[in-house]
Amino acid sequence: MHQDTKEVEARLERFVRDRLFSSIYSNKHPLVISAWEAAGEPVPFYVAKQQEFKSVPIGWKFGRAWSTTWLRVSGEMPFRDQHKEYYKPEIIVDFGYNRSRSGFQAEALAYSPYGTPIKSIAPKNSWLPWPIESEYIEFYLEVAANPDIAGEYSFAPTNFGEWDTSPEVKLYALNELCIALLDERVWGLTQDVLAIQGLMNSLPDYSTRRHKLLRACENMLDIVRTGDVSKNVQDARNALATVLNEPASASSHKVIATGHAHIDTAWLWPLRESIRKCARTFSNVLSLMQEHPKFVFSCSSAQHYVWMRDFYPEIYSGILERVKSGQWAPVGGMWVECDGNLPGSEAMVRQFVYGQKFFQDNFGIRAKEAWLPDSFGYSGALPQIIKQSGLDFFLSQKMSWNQTNTMPHHTFWWEGIDGTRVFSHFPSADTYNSELTGQELGFAEKNFAEKGHASSSLIPFGWGDGGGGPTREMLAAAYRTENLEGSPRVSLGSAAEFFEAAHQEYPNAPVWRGEMYLEFHRGVFTSQLRTKQGNRRNEALLREAELWSTYATLRTGMTYPAKELRKAWEEVLLLQFHDILPGTSIAWVHREAEIKHQEISQTLNKIIQQSLSNLVNDSESSANEVEMTSNVSASERSGISPLAVGIKEKYKGPALLQVIPEGVILENRNIRVTIDKTGHITSFKNLSDGREAISPNHVANEFHLHADLPNKWDAWDIDLHYKRRSEVLNQVTSYLYGQSEAGHVWLEIVKSVSSSEKITSIVKEKLVLYPDALDLEIELDIDWHEREKLLKLSFPIDVHAEQVAAEIQFGHVWRPTHVNTSWDHARFEACQHKFVHLREENWGIAFANDSSYGYDISRNTDTNGSTITTLRFSLIRAARFPDPNADQGLHSMKFRIKPGASILEAVKLGYSLNYPERRIMGNRIIEPLVFCDADEVIIETVKLAEDGSGDLIVRLYESIGSRVNCNLRLNIPFKTVSRSSLLEEPLNLEVERENSGISLELRPFQIATLRFYGVKQ
Ligand SMILES: [Zn+2]
């Protein structure tokens, strides 16, 4: 047999490209178009409609970046006498699209003349339905001229990330806007051919089925009239019917296809544009559902629904209807799809609490599956938080982006740091924006790791980020692969259906234990420092505000600021979205995030001040006011218990400063630190054991400046080659030291960074030793004007540490300090929350930070044989994409170092630094509202119940990985108490009651939530 396979394939390709697509529409008729260009930010429909519209021709150029153009379109229906069952009039639109991509370009929402959203327009979904019976055509298009910032992902710096810096050029053109007839038969043939072509291309060359499909296409090509495809279209379809009707084999892979649109809550566009992106996509989905009753759409993020409720009530009521009928499936149960590592303990909880609460209150359902397809790695605390929030399953996909190692499973149990397991799935198609093409389906089967043990995978399909969501073409692909030889069997359904069935089929799925570290995007622990600092600060202020306002409400009858707290939480949670908190959005987004964080801080500080003032002031004896200090850290401070307000005890011994020829010594009764004239720490001793912390022949507190130009994904990535170029900052421009009246001693060093003899950045560092302190504090003020540089602060420690403990939510993870395996080698930059801790048997050292998340760890052996474990904090970067001016300007941050510290002391050092004491004038000492007698148990949250009942909620956790029995005492009477879920609902668990409290047993890293009823006000 002579082979002509390639020629037939090429013939088919040419036909599809040049004849088939262009034959779908015929009889194009022009429409009357007029336009109004909004001057600034978007306006609602009713405002736009009242404006003066001017006639515009086809070809008209419009759309300066981020602007909105409203088009009024009208005309007579030209096809009223052309009723044929296979003809459908449709409006077709082209704004000068690059059709090879979805989204990221001009997008439009069509409205009826009464302001009802109809459907949206995007590059790969650029039509509107119009009934043939109607006499007139009239509608409005709200066209958003969103610049294509991603472009071809060249990662070149762009000015399009802010309204003001965007070039004054028109980005789009009115290339086509007309009414035409869609020939459903030709459209059907197109979908047949695409399904066959896709399946063919997914099968190996030797496959008989592949060749059979090709020959069926060849027969079709012989029949079809290439000059007029509609002429013989039915015969052409008949030629393909046989191969399309051949059924799938008994053992074929099963795919549950669920409609989806991954809409980033902000990213290469501002938050306000995501509101419109949601409206546009959701209007498409509702329109598609009218024709396709089996189509299910999975949609996450309570925040996106809130936007619809508040700004697009008609779309929202459409959603409510479809939720009721089961076609619209709210998934995730989170406020937004947040970052998977960076949110703090309670914030990660509230993502679920407020997400699930919104779903419950508005839809009467709770999500069963956590849904984080795109976050950059997943904390080992998540399984416990997910399960305790009433979810049973976890979905992600991002781990397929690993650069080095392949995750071994697609369907598996994920075990968290406390031992909780959650049944999990990664779609084996390696995408959450599938088109359900034959290639994608074939790959989903080929790639599925659990073949032979499990038989199905989930595929979320639909264009995200403004591409418009699922399309009728994708559904056509799903229908054609329901039962098709050579293809996985595709059925439309929900993620919950998939998970229930997958769990039932494979209850003994393999287990992945601990965090899921993404071997990619390692710069996200450091990029856009101010956004991260705002988040850290407000997480702490929220904890403090809830604690003191609860106490003030219960003790003084103050009104609990439930509304203000809830609003602040929702705003913080929104800004934890997986492109905002990681620092990977455009300048516009980060500018707004910084402003919003400042506003939230002001609100929370007011609540804290007011609550504290109510608590410590007894109105009857206001004359005897003294300075009091609040302590919301996790350990006693100057004689004041945790969660109490009292009068500080005087320190026992002052800190002293000694000038030596090499530099200075800062010393108190606990520690001694020697610092040389370049600000490097040459010796650091805990005086109780006399042990030297710094590796001999090395200096600590050294600034390393690295070139930082990743191969791509600038704000996201730190590539390992950054280590190859580094310089130590040694240029000291100022060196001052002193002793304060308050008893502490300090050394202040200013260093400069220069380029071509010109100073570019200034690093001011103050090392402070307080009287009685067991740790050294480092304060940094960095005036940063570098580009594509990474600044690290290095501490080579003389400790034989196998692992480093890094804090995550409600506990910590252990990560190796060596690079034995490819997994260890790939983990060259990792995430911490408030502390990291290094230890060998009987000795450890703790490092706390108030705003730094990224660190790296390495080990070496000194000439004397001792291990040098070097810990380096990533202080600041300066990526140029997507924000060309990222991280420029002033930044302040703090660290604390405590040699001779246990892991428990590390935990407490983290709280101590992140919860500075607060001074207030008062006349009443406040004992803790809640007290726990076990040191390792941290009371993370004290608040009133979300349901407004006045019940008291206390959330605590075991912090060091030990089993503990503890007694919890309440400083206020209560009637009963129950263990509850994170959603504050009672669990069926016994609580051992004692007079003024309860006793509890906690397993390592267990989170416990207690609900106290009948708390006396
Ligand atoms: Zn995303």
Side-chain angles (χ1 to χ4, degrees):
M1 182 78 195
H2 298 293
Q3 289 301 315
D4 64 349
T5 309
K6 293 281 168 261
E7 288 71 24
V8 181
E9 283 174 358
R11 184 183 168 202
L12 180 64
E13 257 171 52
R14 176 86 200 266
F15 166 70
V16 172
R17 189 186 67 213
D18 292 348
R19 307 286 183 185
L20 196 50
F21 287 132
S22 58
S23 302
I24 292 174
Y25 288 105
S26 62
N27 292 34
K28 292 182 179 178
H29 278 258
L31 294 164
V32 180
I33 309 163
S34 55
W36 171 65
E37 294 182 273
E41 285 294 273
V43 297
F45 171 83
Y46 66 89
V47 175
K49 194 185 173 182
Q50 290 162 7
Q51 307 301 319
E52 199 181 323
F53 283 69
K54 287 188 180 146
S55 174
V56 291
I58 289 296
W60 178 62
K61 288 199 165 18
F62 70 97
R64 179 233 193 260
W66 306 117
S67 70
T68 302
T69 301
W70 285 81
L71 301 176
R72 186 164 60 208
V73 186
S74 59
E76 284 190 9
M77 169 57 75
F79 308 123
R80 295 188 70 202
D81 55 350
Q82 281 175 272
H83 270 282
K84 277 192 186 150
E85 55 175 321
Y86 45 80
Y87 277 153
K88 237 168 48 174
E90 286 184 356
I91 315 286
I92 49 179
V93 186
D94 182 0
F95 294 130
Y97 285 137
N98 171 356
R99 303 247 185 206
S100 66
R101 348 216 328 235
S102 72
F104 299 89
Q105 300 170 59
E107 301 160 36
L109 181 58
Y111 291 86
S112 77
Y114 309 103
T116 306
I118 304 170
K119 180 184 169 296
S120 76
I121 297 290
K124 285 179 177 269
N125 190 344
S126 56
W127 59 278
L128 297 173
W130 209 272
I132 201 162
E133 306 79 29
S134 53
E135 209 166 317
Y136 297 107
I137 299 155
E138 189 184 357
F139 62 94
Y140 289 79
L141 280 175
E142 181 194 22
V143 193
N146 296 333
D148 185 2
I149 289 183
E152 300 303 317
Y153 286 103
S154 69
F155 307 103
T158 171
N159 291 331
F160 280 107
E162 279 276 17
W163 181 291
D164 289 345
T165 58
S166 293
E168 291 289 337
V169 287
K170 312 267 184 199
L171 298 176
Y172 298 102
L174 195 55
N175 283 359
E176 186 165 56
L177 208 174
C178 64
I179 188 157
L181 280 178
L182 174 128
D183 187 327
E184 286 187 308
R185 303 162 311 167
V186 179
W187 183 86
L189 174 65
T190 311
Q191 309 317 313
D192 293 346
V193 171
L194 291 176
I196 291 172
Q197 217 182 5
L199 172 58
M200 220 164 65
N201 291 336
S202 78
L203 296 171
D205 275 346
Y206 57 77
S207 152
T208 306
R209 173 69 170 160
R210 179 176 176 135
H211 291 273
K212 210 172 157 190
L213 292 166
L214 182 69
R215 295 306 158 184
C217 288
E218 188 176 31
N219 291 340
M220 179 275 294
L221 289 167
D222 293 343
I223 293 166
V224 78
R225 300 275 180 90
T226 47
D228 183 0
V229 175
S230 66
K231 196 107 184 169
N232 274 0
V233 63
Q234 199 48 54
D235 293 339
R237 292 196 73 182
N238 291 345
L240 300 176
T242 311
V243 289
L244 277 172
N245 285 329
E246 279 161 346
S249 70
S251 57
S252 59
H253 183 67
K254 292 196 231 19
V255 162
I256 302 255
T258 195
H260 185 52
H262 181 78
I263 301 177
D264 289 296
T265 306
W267 179 29
L268 301 177
W269 49 86
L271 279 162
R272 65 93 156 145
E273 196 52 37
S274 290
I275 302 175
R276 299 200 296 178
K277 280 179 190 282
C278 287
R280 291 187 285 255
T281 294
F282 296 167
S283 71
N284 275 359
V285 171
L286 292 171
S287 157
L288 200 59
M289 280 176 175
Q290 290 171 11
E291 310 267 312
H292 299 274
K294 286 195 326 196
F295 159 53
V296 178
F297 183 67
S298 294
C299 184
S300 71
S301 303
Q303 175 69 74
H304 294 187
Y305 291 105
V306 169
W307 283 338
M308 294 307 102
R309 187 193 64 194
D310 295 350
F311 301 114
Y312 295 90
E314 278 164 308
I315 292 176
Y316 186 65
S317 71
I319 292 172
L320 286 179
E321 231 170 79
R322 294 295 176 178
V323 171
K324 225 179 264 170
S325 73
Q327 253 189 297
W328 191 294
V331 295
M334 298 179 79
W335 194 253
V336 294
E337 290 182 20
C338 66
D339 182 81
N341 286 305
L342 300 164
S345 303
E346 187 63 20
M348 194 62 106
V349 166
R350 298 297 171 95
Q351 286 285 357
F352 287 96
V353 169
Y354 294 142
Q356 288 285 57
K357 190 170 160 48
F358 183 88
F359 284 13
Q360 180 73 59
D361 293 349
N362 294 277
F363 307 139
I365 55 159
R366 291 216 178 125
K368 291 307 267 180
E369 62 298 275
W371 185 276
L372 289 174
D374 193 32
S375 303
F376 311 142
Y378 303 91
S379 154
L382 273 168
Q384 185 175 201
I385 295 173
I386 289 169
K387 288 291 276 189
Q388 286 204 21
S389 300
L391 300 108
D392 291 327
F393 310 116
F394 173 73
L395 176 128
S396 181
Q397 188 275 316
K398 201 70 180 181
M399 298 305 293
S400 71
W401 285 46
N402 267 5
Q403 277 175 320
T404 308
N405 298 285
T406 303
M407 291 293 284
H409 316 301
H410 288 106
T411 297
F412 61 104
W413 288 98
W414 180 21
E415 183 181 306
I417 55 166
D418 70 309
T420 300
R421 289 183 178 182
V422 59
F423 193 79
S424 302
H425 181 70
F426 300 154
S428 57
D430 278 3
T431 177
Y432 44 83
N433 301 314
S434 171
E435 294 172 72
L436 300 180
T437 62
Q439 290 96 320
E440 284 171 335
L441 295 171
F443 180 74
E445 174 167 10
K446 191 173 151 210
N447 191 37
F448 185 56
E450 277 70 35
K451 276 198 288 280
H453 302 281
S455 62
S456 62
S457 60
L458 182 76
I459 299 190
F461 67 95
W463 299 119
D465 284 341
T471 62
R472 58 187 175 187
E473 287 78 13
M474 295 171 192
L475 290 172
Y479 299 144
R480 281 161 181 75
T481 46
E482 266 177 9
N483 186 16
L484 179 63
E485 189 194 345
S487 165
R489 289 172 195 264
V490 176
S491 55
L492 297 171
S494 69
E497 276 168 51
F498 162 79
F499 272 113
E500 300 283 358
H503 178 223
Q504 202 167 25
E505 180 186 43
Y506 199 26
N508 297 319
V511 180
W512 178 270
R513 189 206 164 272
E515 70 176 334
M516 291 196 264
Y517 174 87
L518 181 67
E519 296 170 352
F520 208 33
H521 295 356
R522 301 164 181 93
V524 300
F525 310 135
T526 309
S527 290
Q528 297 282 4
L529 179 60
R530 276 186 289 263
T531 297
K532 290 178 166 64
Q533 290 183 320
N535 176 71
R536 178 80 72 92
R537 182 177 68 240
N538 283 328
E539 284 179 346
L541 290 175
L542 274 160
R543 176 172 179 261
E544 212 180 336
E546 286 192 333
L547 169 78
W548 294 129
S549 62
T550 298
Y551 208 170
T553 302
L554 297 178
R555 280 293 292 270
T556 72
M558 187 187 95
T559 306
Y560 188 64
K563 248 195 193 153
E564 292 89 332
L565 289 169
R566 177 67 191 262
K567 182 165 175 279
W569 266 118
E570 288 178 2
E571 288 169 345
V572 168
L573 298 180
L574 167 62
L575 298 176
Q576 292 180 340
F577 173 71
H578 67 255
D579 279 306
I580 305 181
L581 186 51
T584 50
S585 284
I586 54 172
W588 190 332
V589 175
H590 290 287
R591 174 175 50 79
E592 287 190 340
E594 287 167 25
I595 294 169
K596 185 49 81 183
H597 273 306
Q598 281 165 12
E599 289 170 8
I600 300 166
S601 299
Q602 279 171 11
T603 305
L604 294 172
N605 273 316
K606 258 189 223 158
I607 292 174
I608 295 166
Q609 286 299 340
Q610 185 63 52
S611 305
L612 274 175
S613 167
N614 286 354
L615 278 169
V616 299
N617 283 298
D618 181 350
S619 52
E620 285 159 28
S621 54
S622 60
N624 308 317
E625 281 192 344
V626 290
E627 186 180 88
M628 314 197 77
T629 303
S630 72
N631 176 18
V632 287
S633 77
S635 41
E636 190 185 291
R637 202 142 61 178
S638 305
I640 304 165
S641 306
L643 316 188
V645 188
I647 298 165
K648 270 178 94 169
E649 286 172 0
K650 174 120 176 78
Y651 56 78
K652 295 190 175 73
L656 301 169
L657 185 137
Q658 189 188 341
V659 182
I660 55 172
E662 302 82 37
V664 296
I665 295 173
L666 309 182
E667 183 170 356
N668 67 12
R669 63 196 180 91
N670 298 317
I671 56 176
R672 182 193 297 138
V673 191
T674 310
I675 306 150
D676 70 14
K677 285 183 173 165
T678 48
H680 295 147
I681 298 175
T682 53
S683 169
F684 198 158
K685 281 185 182 170
N686 179 330
L687 298 176
S688 65
D689 60 18
R691 172 159 173 170
E692 176 59 60
I694 311 300
S695 284
N697 311 317
H698 288 76
V699 292
N701 190 38
E702 198 173 58
F703 291 94
H704 296 171
L705 185 66
H706 291 274
D708 177 25
L709 184 57
N711 299 344
K712 43 188 183 172
W713 298 105
D714 294 33
W716 290 257
D717 282 3
I718 292 176
D719 285 351
L720 194 51
H721 61 74
Y722 88 93
K723 288 193 178 179
R724 300 175 68 90
R725 265 184 62 187
S726 164
E727 60 175 287
V728 175
L729 296 195
N730 274 329
Q731 204 178 331
V732 177
T733 55
S734 162
Y735 180 85
L736 298 166
Y737 44 79
Q739 182 142 21
S740 85
E741 280 179 17
H744 61 266
V745 292
W746 52 269
L747 170 71
E748 189 187 276
I749 297 266
V750 180
K751 289 179 179 170
S752 59
V753 184
S754 309
S755 170
S756 315
E757 315 255 309
K758 225 177 103 196
I759 291 177
T760 47
S761 298
I762 305 278
V763 179
K764 188 165 96 179
E765 188 185 35
K766 196 169 178 182
L767 298 105
V768 188
L769 183 64
Y770 290 94
D772 297 349
L774 290 149
D775 55 81
L776 177 75
E777 184 163 294
I778 298 179
E779 299 171 12
L780 293 175
D781 292 296
I782 303 174
D783 191 9
W784 186 245
H785 300 281
E786 305 306 305
R787 307 276 188 191
E788 292 163 343
K789 297 275 171 61
L790 168 62
L791 186 65
K792 291 230 171 202
L793 186 56
S794 167
F795 297 92
I797 304 299
D798 187 5
V799 59
H800 186 62
E802 285 300 300
Q803 295 172 310
V804 52
E807 193 190 42
I808 60 168
Q809 300 86 353
F810 301 105
H812 55 266
V813 286
W814 291 102
R815 301 186 182 115
T817 57
H818 57 71
V819 288
N820 278 6
T821 70
S822 58
W823 297 84
D824 303 326
H825 184 252
R827 207 184 294 107
F828 59 81
E829 178 83 11
C831 179
Q832 57 165 338
H833 280 191
K834 300 187 291 292
F835 76 83
V836 287
H837 181 249
L838 294 167
R839 66 176 281 274
E840 61 188 32
E841 193 63 33
N842 299 329
W843 189 85
I845 182 165
F847 295 81
N849 73 81
D850 76 343
S851 48
S852 177
Y853 292 88
Y855 75 89
D856 75 276
I857 192 100
S858 58
R859 55 191 276 149
N860 214 328
T861 301
D862 212 340
T863 44
N864 66 1
S866 64
T867 304
I868 310 158
T869 306
T870 303
L871 177 67
R872 300 193 312 157
F873 296 107
S874 301
L875 303 179
I876 191 162
R877 306 182 64 202
R880 300 206 67 198
F881 182 87
D883 175 2
N885 295 312
D887 282 320
Q888 301 298 297
L890 277 170
H891 302 80
S892 301
M893 61 188 103
K894 281 184 184 172
F895 290 87
R896 276 194 199 156
I897 307 163
K898 183 172 185 176
S902 66
I903 185 80
L904 179 59
E905 287 171 302
V907 173
K908 301 211 165 182
L909 191 67
Y911 274 88
S912 173
L913 179 57
N914 282 268
Y915 294 94
E917 56 190 35
R918 220 174 250 276
R919 307 240 153 76
I920 183 145
M921 297 303 288
N923 56 22
R924 186 162 61 182
I925 283 171
I926 300 298
E927 295 294 328
L929 175 63
V930 191
F931 171 81
C932 183
D933 65 356
D935 237 11
E936 55 272 54
V937 174
I938 308 280
I939 297 166
E940 179 65 23
T941 306
V942 176
K943 66 190 281 287
L944 291 188
E946 291 294 325
D947 60 11
S949 59
D951 294 341
L952 174 68
I953 305 292
V954 176
R955 183 150 32 248
L956 40 82
Y957 71 103
E958 196 291 318
S959 67
I960 61 167
S962 67
R963 191 168 298 266
V964 63
N965 286 298
C966 66
N967 293 300
L968 194 75
R969 221 175 51 232
L970 220 59
N971 192 11
I972 200 156
F974 63 94
K975 280 203 182 96
T976 54
V977 56
S978 71
R979 289 283 288 271
S980 85
S981 68
L982 295 178
L983 307 180
E984 303 176 1
E985 290 166 343
L987 301 169
N988 197 13
L989 284 174
E990 283 285 304
V991 183
E992 215 174 302
R993 172 96 192 242
E994 299 195 338
N995 291 341
S996 60
I998 56 169
S999 69
L1000 277 178
E1001 185 187 319
L1002 295 177
R1003 61 171 193 270
F1005 300 127
Q1006 187 176 6
I1007 308 167
T1009 305
L1010 296 152
R1011 183 170 179 137
F1012 293 91
Y1013 303 85
V1015 185
K1016 193 172 169 285
Q1017 302 230 359

